[in-house]
């Protein structure tokens, strides 16, 4: 497995455990896609038919399934690379000049026939997860500047047109709303143009042919980039569908100085003929084995809902004591601890402890939290600044702005120009100062508005997020124990770019309504790991009263947190919360590190059924938001168990023991009643 190369015929193969991806250099010298699908027995059977024009209206360059199409010649299709050479030429004519193979990577070298300009296609495999990673690096070997107008990381070809697209749309408080649509014959573009990622679309796609959770062909991919991305999906006139992902060319121009090289963000993609479940397992396994920190995430309490900006040391300690009584392991103080931060109109940028709120600094709070045996966390929004702050008075040119325009404000704040080295140092030093002075275990990094008035440099959309990545990596290199949470007014920064740049958790949405979260978390689970999904129990409620148990069960589907004003909790609330947190701790290992299943059922009632399983145990979550007239139960067939083993569990108060084969093929009957009913059933392998 890995890479196959037929040097004589210049046919290349990329193999995973169950798939083959193949391409070749054809008779015109073009790098041409051949195949992507179930695994084949080598490259011998591949033929590379010679291409010839069909008509003057069908140029050969436009018909060819190029592995990486460029802008140039008679190409009218979507391209992945478009440049402007110093003499004004806006055209690439490339030739294949060789390849490089290492243990981890296959690199195909392509070069312009006239200019000393090269671009190299990089391929990497994650064999057991059946995933392929692609990116492109471009190098300017000329003696003049080359400008890149568009650069997409990769293009993939799917041999069908009768496909259904699944992805997410949304807005603030409604991220990760699943949508499905047939491709038809139009071009579909999913994108972001806001700089600080987006709640509207997410950089992933899923294309299937009549697939279910457990059957059918599924093609999928993600882009490892926060901020301005572009996904283009287009059925081709002569059959098949192409997908491109990369940096959004909107208002973007990357300048390459002589001798300079640029590497695009990576695209990760895969194929399975075993349905959406296998797709999710491949992506989750990739994250758990290659990206996420080992171990389990702590149960968190965040004080925002209890106090908002009105934070004071004594009250925070009182909250921490109540949180500890319930079994919380990490106490996080949110916004309001710094500067003149009494509302969202001031304070951002002045990162000193407010002496009125904390007369003796943060240490009394931190020491109290630590003495209780809990970790301590804190909220920051380092990319932003409020106009009244001393920081902006001292450095008025540190924001994105046009000198002849009124500065844009949103949420009473402006965006720092993080592309400036001095701003990067300011942010790093601020975080470094906090972490060196105080025993901080967790940072919630927020970003609450889009970027605007970006100035004359049109590459800043990309450079901004690259700078954020770099700061995060520097921080984690110096403080490897630190947990970093990515937040952008909720789920505006949920992507693999953030995960792979040293962030550990996502704040999935500012919407913490327990029922709404079921749909948000369901769509999130398609490609993102459960372990990184922060989910809270809060006082938020978009409908009639939801029981505390339902709230906990919904939040226990990810990495559990709390945000209620627990100072108002009754003794009964405290007791129940402690019991449910303890229940979560008993299943936390399988929830965060096990395999996740979206279970299907045939009940006429609107049940939501999910399962987590590993080699020794499983946890079944069943929700019934509202009982229908029929008042029927649901038969749940489990997944991922050992068919030959026996499992013990308790159902409706009765201890039972059944075989894995029985549980997966016959299933168990669960009946809930009333509104917002829920249960968790634990299965232990005997």
């Amino acid at each position: 497995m890995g890479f196959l190369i037929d040097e004589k015929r210049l046919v290349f193969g990329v193999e995973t455990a169950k798939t083959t991806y193949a391409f070749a250099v054809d008779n015109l010298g073009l790098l041409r896609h051949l195949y992507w699908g179930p695994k084949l027995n080598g490259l011998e059977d591949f033929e590379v038919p010679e291409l010839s024009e069909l008509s003057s209206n069908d140029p050969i360059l436009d018909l060819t399934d190029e592995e990486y199409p460029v802008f140039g010649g008679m190409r009218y299709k979507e391209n992945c690379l478009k440049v402007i050479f110093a003499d004004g030429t806006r055209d690439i004519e490339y030739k294949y000049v060789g390849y490089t193979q290492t243990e981890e990577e296959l690199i195909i070298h392509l070069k312009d026939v006239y200019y000393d300009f090269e671009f190299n296609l990089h391929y990497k495999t994650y064999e057991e997860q059946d995933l392929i990673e692609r990116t492109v690096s471009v190098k300017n070997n000329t003696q003049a500047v080359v400008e890149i107008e568009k650069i997409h990381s990769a293009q993939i070809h799917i041999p069908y047109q009768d496909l259904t697209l699944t992805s997410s749309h949304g807005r603030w408080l409604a991220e990760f709303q699943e949508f499905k649509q047939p491709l038809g014959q139009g071009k579909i573009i999913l994108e972001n143009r806001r700089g600080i990622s987006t709640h509207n679309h997410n950089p992933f796609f899923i294309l299937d042919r009549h697939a279910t959770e457990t059957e059918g062909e599924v093609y999928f991919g993600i882009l490892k980039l926060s901020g301005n991305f572009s996904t283009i999906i287009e059925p081709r006139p002569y059959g098949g569908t192409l997908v491109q992902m990369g940096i959004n060319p909107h208002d973007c121009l990357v300048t390459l100085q002589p001798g300079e090289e640029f590497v695009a963000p990576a695209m990760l993609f895969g194929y399975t003929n075993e349905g959406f479940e296998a797709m999710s397992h491949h992506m989750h396994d990739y994250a758990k084995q290659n990206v996420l920190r080992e171990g389990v995430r702590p149960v968190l309490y965040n004080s925002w809902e209890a106090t908002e900006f009105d934070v004071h040391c004594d009250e925070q300690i009182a909250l921490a004591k109540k949180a500890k009584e319930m079994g919380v392991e990490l106490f996080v103080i949110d916004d309001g601890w710094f500067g003149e931060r009494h509302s969202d109109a001031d304070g951002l940028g002045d990162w000193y402890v407010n002496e009125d709120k904390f007369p003796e600094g943060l240490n009394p709070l931190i020491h109290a939290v630590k003495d209780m045996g809990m970790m301590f966390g804190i909220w920051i929004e380092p990319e932003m600044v409020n106009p009244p702050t001393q920081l902006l008075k001292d450095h008025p040119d540190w924001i994105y702005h046009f000198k002849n325009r009124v500065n844009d404000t949103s949420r009473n704040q402006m965006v720092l120009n993080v592309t400036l080295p001095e701003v990067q140092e300011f942010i790093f030093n601020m975080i470094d100062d906090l972490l060196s002075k105080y025993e901080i275990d967790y940072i919630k990094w927020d970003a609450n508005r889009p970027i605007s008035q970006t100035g004359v440099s049109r590459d800043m959309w990309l450079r901004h997020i690259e700078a954020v990545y770099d700061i995060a990596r520097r921080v984690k290199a110096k403080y490897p124990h630190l947990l970093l949470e990515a937040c952008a007014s909720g789920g505006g920064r949920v992507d693999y770019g953030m995960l792979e740049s040293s962030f550990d958790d996502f704040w999935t949405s500012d919407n913490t309504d327990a029922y709404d979260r079921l749909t948000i978390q369901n769509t999130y689970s398609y490609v993102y790991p459960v372990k990184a999904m922060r989910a809270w129990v809060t006082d938020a409620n978009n409908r009639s009263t939801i029981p505390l148990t339902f709230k906990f069960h919904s939040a226990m589907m990810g990495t559990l947190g709390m945000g209620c004003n627990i100072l108002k909790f009754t003794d009964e609330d405290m007791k129940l919360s402690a019991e449910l947190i303890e229940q979560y701790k008993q299943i936390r290992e399988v929830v965060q590190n096990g395999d996740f299943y979206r279970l299907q059922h045939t009940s006429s009632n609107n049940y939501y059924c999910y399962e987590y399983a590993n080699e020794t145990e499983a946890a079944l979550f069943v929700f019934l938001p509202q009982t229908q007239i029929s008042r029927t139960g649901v038969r749940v067939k489990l997944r991922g168990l050992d068919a030959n083993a026996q499992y013990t569990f308790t159902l409706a108060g009765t201890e039972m023991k059944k075989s894995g084969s029985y549980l997966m093929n016959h299933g168990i009957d669960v009946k809930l009643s009333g509104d917002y009913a829920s249960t968790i059933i634990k299965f232990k392998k005997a």
Side-chain angles (χ1 to χ4, degrees), residues 563-589:
C564 310
N565 186 353
I566 53 179
L567 295 178
K568 295 182 179 180
F569 267 27
T570 64
D571 290 343
E572 183 181 348
D573 292 335
M574 290 293 296
K575 182 175 182 293
L576 179 58
S577 297
E579 291 173 353
L580 290 166
I581 288 174
E582 179 57 32
Q583 182 185 24
Y584 177 73
K585 290 178 181 178
Q586 292 175 6
I587 62 173
R588 169 168 51 184
E589 173 63 37

Side-chain angles (χ1 to χ4, degrees), residues 63-256:
L63 297 181
T64 305
D65 287 333
E66 291 181 89
E67 184 71 356
Y68 192 79
V70 296
F71 180 86
M74 295 184 72
R75 292 181 178 90
Y76 307 99
K77 59 191 177 185
E78 286 290 341
N79 60 81
C80 286
L81 182 62
K82 183 179 181 182
V83 303
I84 305 172
F85 293 104
D87 61 6
T89 299
R90 296 186 302 112
D91 180 284
I92 296 174
E93 183 180 349
Y94 71 83
K95 63 180 179 181
Y96 166 81
V97 293
Y99 72 91
T100 301
Q101 181 186 357
T102 67
E103 188 173 335
E104 294 187 348
E105 192 174 38
L106 172 66
I107 306 172
I108 303 298
H109 303 292
L110 306 173
K111 185 177 180 297
D112 189 86
V113 298
Y114 179 82
Y115 302 96
D116 196 358
F117 174 80
E118 63 183 76
F119 55 104
N120 305 298
L121 310 186
H122 299 251
Y123 299 79
K124 185 177 180 180
T125 65
Y126 296 91
E127 295 179 4
E128 295 308 312
Q129 291 84 49
D130 281 320
L131 296 173
I132 298 171
E133 182 176 292
R134 281 189 58 185
T135 188
V136 61
S137 61
V138 296
K139 188 172 183 182
N140 176 17
N141 296 314
T142 73
Q143 300 301 309
V145 167
V146 175
E147 294 178 318
I148 303 174
E149 286 192 290
K150 178 183 178 182
I151 182 166
H152 271 187
S153 303
Q155 174 175 279
I156 58 174
H157 296 262
I158 300 171
Y160 311 110
Q161 289 192 344
D162 57 333
L163 299 168
T164 298
L165 168 66
T166 301
S167 193
S168 72
H169 70 96
R171 60 187 186 279
W172 179 60
L173 296 180
E175 303 90 331
F176 287 101
Q177 302 299 301
E178 177 188 317
F179 73 86
K180 290 180 178 289
Q181 67 183 69
L183 288 193
Q185 287 301 314
K187 185 183 301 181
I188 297 173
I189 299 176
L190 306 175
E191 64 173 2
N192 174 45
R193 298 183 175 190
R194 300 180 180 220
I196 307 291
S197 295
T198 178
H199 303 77
N200 307 126
H201 294 291
N202 193 275
F204 79 89
F205 73 90
I206 303 167
L207 292 166
D208 77 276
R209 296 187 77 215
H210 317 296
T212 67
E213 278 293 311
T214 56
E215 296 179 333
E217 291 185 288
V218 183
Y219 302 82
F220 57 95
I222 61 100
L223 185 68
K224 297 180 180 181
L225 177 67
S226 311
N228 289 9
F229 76 90
S230 171
T231 302
I232 299 173
I233 304 167
E234 182 180 16
R236 299 298 309 284
Y238 286 89
T241 300
L242 64 81
V243 182
Q244 292 182 12
M245 299 190 83
I247 301 165
N248 196 331
H250 167 74
D251 193 44
C252 186
L253 188 73
V254 177
T255 300
L256 278 186

Side-chain angles (χ1 to χ4, degrees), residues 27-28 50-64 73-76 238:
N27 63 299
L28 299 179
E50 291 190 2
L51 290 172
S52 57
E53 289 190 359
L54 298 178
S55 73
S56 61
N57 287 304
D58 292 302
I60 191 63
L61 291 176
D62 215 34
L63 297 181
T64 305
M74 295 184 72
R75 292 181 178 90
Y76 307 99
Y238 286 89

